[in-house]
Amino acid sequence: MDAALAESAILPLIEEHTGPVAGIHRTERGFSSDLTAVVDCARGPFFVKAMRNRPGGRRESLIRERRINAYLGHISPHLLWDVEAEDWSVLGFEVVDGRSSDFAPDSPDLPLVVDVIGEIGRLPLPRIAQDWPETRWDRFASDSSVAELFRGDSLLHTDINPSNFLVVKRRVWAVDWAWPTRGAGFIDPALLVLQLIAAGHTPDRAEKWAEGLTAWREAAPQAVDAFAAANLRMYRAAVGRKPEADWLMAMVDACQAWTEHRGVAPA
């Protein structure tokens, strides 16, 4: 959808919260929303995510992000207001003036990111998340019994990547809680390992970073093996659908390196 049309559509809906709006500055990311922007206004600024109010997964992701925010404490920017109109859903967050984290091997951000993932792992599972079981990797598991290894009662972020960790001086915020779920606690640390490999770490060094996380240390090796294999199958399938997407091929390469390191040979 044209972002300019989205801007004109949401402005009358949000003015109760913003007051007069001086400007809207779209962000570079936010592909899952119709509009992500910083709104300069009389009562702000605010970081705004807006979505057409249509049934489906994208709208459900905005609802989950709205519902989970109150349980995230200081880990994520606070949701300050929201609007649910006939045609649009809008979330208004406090603005965090930070940069995307760097996952490269020599990055000083890595200890901070690991600490935040550890904090996420220690959050109590909210009652609202009881009905959000993690199932996205099930169809890429070798069978249903293997998929059971991904079950658990930990609150998961599930979208671990450099852009979703904003660095402000020596603090990191975990943002974009578009699809929190309930599952095995090792999943977020395992996703960190995969992203670190994609950023240039060897699999061994990537796993060394994860060793600072309790859920990783306590995970059954066969569960991690199964998850690594499921990710390789998932990204291979994604490349089959979008062979022109270089980033997907890079993730296949990272998955391949990880499964080889762990001695896993998925079909």
Side-chain angles (χ1 to χ4, degrees):
M1 179 178 184
D2 189 303
L5 294 177
E7 289 178 17
S8 62
I10 69 165
L11 277 176
L13 304 177
I14 67 175
E15 285 182 341
E16 175 186 350
H17 302 283
T18 63
V21 173
I24 298 180
H25 310 286
R26 299 170 206 157
T27 61
E28 293 180 1
R29 289 185 60 82
F31 305 118
S32 63
S33 299
D34 291 310
L35 178 69
T36 57
V38 174
V39 177
D40 287 327
C41 54
R43 300 172 191 163
F46 301 105
F47 174 69
V48 167
K49 297 181 76 170
M51 193 95 68
R52 290 296 297 270
N53 210 345
R54 294 172 175 167
R58 295 175 71 237
R59 179 179 179 275
E60 175 64 23
S61 74
L62 205 69
I63 293 171
R64 286 200 186 192
E65 188 161 10
R66 181 186 70 203
R67 296 182 69 192
I68 199 62
N69 186 265
Y71 300 94
L72 301 179
H74 63 281
I75 292 173
S76 181
H78 293 302
L79 177 65
L80 302 175
W81 48 264
D82 66 275
V83 174
E84 184 80 8
E86 182 178 358
D87 294 327
W88 287 90
S89 294
V90 188
L91 305 181
F93 296 88
E94 66 175 315
V95 172
V96 173
D97 187 15
R99 59 171 174 81
S100 294
S101 62
D102 182 358
F103 279 17
D106 59 351
S107 171
D109 297 345
L110 295 178
L112 304 176
V113 171
V114 171
D115 285 348
V116 170
I117 293 175
E119 290 186 60
I120 293 171
R122 291 188 292 273
L123 288 172
L125 182 71
R127 181 171 295 182
I128 60 167
Q130 291 287 347
D131 295 330
W132 299 345
E134 180 51 69
T135 59
R136 276 167 292 183
W137 286 274
D138 285 13
R139 66 192 180 99
F140 301 105
S142 55
D143 58 53
S144 59
S145 65
V146 170
E148 288 299 313
L149 298 172
F150 308 154
R151 305 289 182 261
D153 287 317
S154 294
L155 177 65
L156 304 174
H157 182 286
T158 74
D159 194 6
I160 306 296
N161 69 73
S163 295
N164 284 341
F165 293 87
L166 299 183
V167 181
V168 183
K169 296 182 180 178
R170 296 299 295 168
R171 179 177 181 180
V172 170
W173 301 76
V175 300
D176 199 5
W177 286 78
W179 208 255
T181 58
R182 172 177 61 84
F186 75 84
I187 288 179
D188 276 351
L191 292 173
L192 172 66
V193 169
L194 184 53
Q195 288 288 328
L196 292 178
I197 296 169
H201 296 249
T202 65
D204 180 63
R205 293 304 304 166
E207 290 188 348
K208 283 283 191 286
W209 280 108
E211 286 176 5
L213 299 166
T214 301
W216 175 267
R217 294 195 304 270
E218 295 180 349
Q222 65 267 29
V224 178
D225 291 347
F227 189 71
N231 273 280
L232 179 55
R233 296 185 191 101
M234 181 181 72
Y235 280 110
R236 281 175 173 169
V239 166
R241 295 191 301 272
K242 296 182 178 180
E244 75 287 351
D246 291 341
W247 75 272
L248 287 174
M249 195 63 239
M251 292 307 297
V252 169
D253 292 342
C255 291
Q256 187 74 51
W258 192 23
T259 54
E260 289 176 359
H261 169 71
R262 296 192 65 87
V264 179

